Amino acid sequence: MSKRLTSDAEQRLIENVLHGHSEAFKTLMDGYGDYVMRIVERMIPSEAEAREVVQDIFVGAYRTLKSYDAEKASFATWLTRIAYHKVADYQKRRGKTMLYIEEHESLIAHVTDEMADSIFKEATSKRIEILRLAIRRIPPDDQMLLQLYYTDDRPLKDIAYILDRPPNYLATRLQRIRNKLYIIIKELEQHDDRQEI
């Protein structure tokens, strides 16, 4: 079980690593191992593959640690940014990216905020399972954005740093994702209802 570090402890460990004490990096890894694994498992369901990517993330973090700037982001946010890019690279290398056709493009514009909100308010086990299925049908970038914003409760400023996108773009993208999920969920529910008849 990872034990999160205080920012002072992190800073001391980072300085130690930068001064050639590589064993201090193991303490950083121990402090963030579970956290990074949770990020990766959301996008890569295979445990063996996820562990491989986590190793790549920590190797990348070690190699680029001197570029970390505490003024720009917390260490966790900086590490999340590396994780996001390593997961994206892994998916491209493995051919795991898919073409997502905007087949509902004309319908998305007609979904109101109230309609989109309604799918997140109903927390029945059936709705939660359908929401999970719907999320699997959207692009990995959109999945990551949802996870960071709704699950991790990160502010758009941090997400903008992690995903390397302007906050205004992300706010608009979140709205489009919610609208798209509304349409996908309604289709899944209709299909499910037809199956029960």
Side-chain angles (χ1 to χ4, degrees):
M1 176 77 117
S2 296
K3 183 179 174 190
R4 290 297 288 272
L5 303 162
T6 66
S7 57
D8 289 341
E10 281 174 3
Q11 199 53 49
R12 281 192 303 276
L13 287 167
I14 290 166
E15 287 169 14
N16 286 339
V17 175
L18 293 176
H19 286 96
H21 304 287
S22 57
E23 71 280 353
F25 194 74
K26 183 181 180 330
T27 307
L28 279 174
M29 285 177 54
D30 290 343
Y32 280 96
D34 289 346
Y35 171 77
V36 172
M37 188 64 171
R38 281 193 305 273
I39 292 169
V40 174
E41 283 178 327
R42 292 174 190 160
M43 306 299 289
I44 301 172
S46 161
E47 186 179 343
E49 291 177 8
R51 288 193 184 286
E52 180 182 327
V53 173
V54 168
Q55 286 295 333
D56 288 347
I57 290 163
F58 282 117
V59 168
Y62 182 77
R63 289 181 179 159
T64 59
L65 189 60
K66 62 180 171 259
S67 72
Y68 169 62
D69 183 351
E71 298 292 320
K72 288 185 179 176
S74 69
F75 186 74
T77 300
W78 180 78
L79 200 53
T80 303
R81 178 180 171 125
I82 293 171
Y84 167 75
H85 289 288
K86 290 289 183 186
V87 168
D89 289 347
Y90 178 85
Q91 289 174 327
K92 286 176 192 165
R93 266 194 337 265
R94 300 286 184 178
K96 303 244 177 189
T97 54
M98 300 178 233
L99 281 176
Y100 292 84
I101 301 165
E102 295 285 350
E103 65 215 52
H104 304 110
E105 194 63 38
S106 61
L107 299 173
I108 289 171
H110 299 292
V111 177
T112 64
D113 287 344
E114 293 79 23
M115 293 163 73
D117 287 344
S118 70
I119 64 168
F120 295 103
K121 286 181 181 170
E122 187 183 329
T124 64
S125 58
K126 183 177 180 181
R127 172 57 63 84
I128 290 168
E129 183 55 34
I130 288 176
L131 178 59
R132 284 189 184 123
L133 290 171
I135 289 171
R136 287 187 203 132
R137 293 185 177 197
I138 63 175
D141 285 354
D142 289 348
Q143 291 178 29
M144 179 64 89
L145 178 53
L146 283 177
Q147 293 287 345
L148 291 169
Y149 189 75
Y150 289 107
T151 306
D152 296 349
D153 201 26
R154 285 187 171 270
L156 280 178
K157 176 179 164 273
D158 283 1
I159 300 171
Y161 175 81
I162 292 164
L163 302 183
D164 208 13
R165 298 278 189 189
N168 290 344
Y169 167 83
L170 294 175
T172 302
R173 190 72 201 159
L174 275 167
Q175 185 59 48
R176 289 185 58 75
I177 294 167
R178 290 171 73 245
N179 292 359
K180 190 187 299 185
L181 284 173
Y182 173 83
I183 293 164
I184 294 169
I185 285 170
K186 288 302 176 187
E187 284 184 354
L188 288 169
E189 287 177 337
Q190 284 176 354
H191 177 72
D192 202 36
D193 288 344
R194 286 196 296 270
Q195 296 285 82
E196 290 176 5
I197 294 172

